[in-house]
Amino acid sequence: MVFLLTLIAAAALVGLTGLHLYWAGGGQWGVRYVVPEVDGKPLFRPQAVTTLAVAALLFWGAAILIDVASSGFLIRRYPLVVLLTLWVYGLAFAVRALAGWFLVAVLGKGRKTVFGYYELRIYGPICLLLGVVFLLLALVLTP
């Protein structure tokens, strides 16, 4: 079961990496759904370099998950780097999921926006799944 969840999480991260590379290259599909709004205006405008940085971080996470699920080359050679990545990514995704849910569902911030709609139905659950997978692997692999 953990193996299957790890592969699903890795596939999600690879897909998200591709989407961020598309946006960094100037693609516009889906942009209006992923940036929070205040009074109908985007809260921020992501720059290409920051979007590329996010893509690189997502790709690194996918690479770690794929390595852990398959050969284990990285964890054998660089156990501290892999474990640190698992813990940091796990906590980051879990906090992101809970914070987004708290802001939109509990406090009602942006509940009636396009972003709020997708936050509760897609972004938050994906982040929660990713957080659980990373933290589960971190717990299992930490000596």
Side-chain angles (χ1 to χ4, degrees):
M1 184 59 136
V2 173
F3 177 75
L4 180 61
L5 284 175
T6 303
L7 291 182
I8 290 170
L13 288 172
V14 169
L16 290 170
T17 298
L19 193 55
H20 280 77
L21 289 173
Y22 166 76
W23 288 330
Q28 293 299 309
W29 179 82
V31 170
R32 70 179 219 99
Y33 303 115
V34 297
V35 177
E37 302 171 343
V38 174
D39 298 326
K41 295 186 173 125
L43 193 57
F44 60 91
R45 298 213 183 269
Q47 302 298 312
V49 68
T50 55
T51 307
L52 281 174
V54 170
L57 290 169
L58 292 169
F59 183 77
W60 176 249
I64 293 295
L65 292 181
I66 291 167
D67 180 72
V68 167
S70 60
S71 70
F73 173 80
L74 291 174
I75 195 151
R76 283 194 310 274
R77 289 196 170 246
Y78 310 104
L80 184 60
V81 171
V82 172
L83 289 173
L84 188 61
T85 299
L86 291 173
W87 281 109
V88 168
Y89 276 52
L91 291 172
F93 279 118
V95 167
R96 162 64 182 82
L98 294 174
W101 172 80
F102 185 77
L103 286 172
V104 176
V106 176
L107 297 181
K109 305 280 185 188
R111 182 180 298 177
K112 296 189 189 282
T113 66
V114 174
F115 176 82
Y117 178 86
Y118 288 108
E119 171 63 32
L120 292 177
R121 290 162 181 82
I122 297 175
Y123 313 144
I126 288 173
C127 286
L128 186 60
L129 169 72
L130 293 171
V132 166
V133 169
F134 276 104
L135 288 174
L136 182 62
L137 290 173
L139 286 169
V140 168
L141 296 173
T142 299

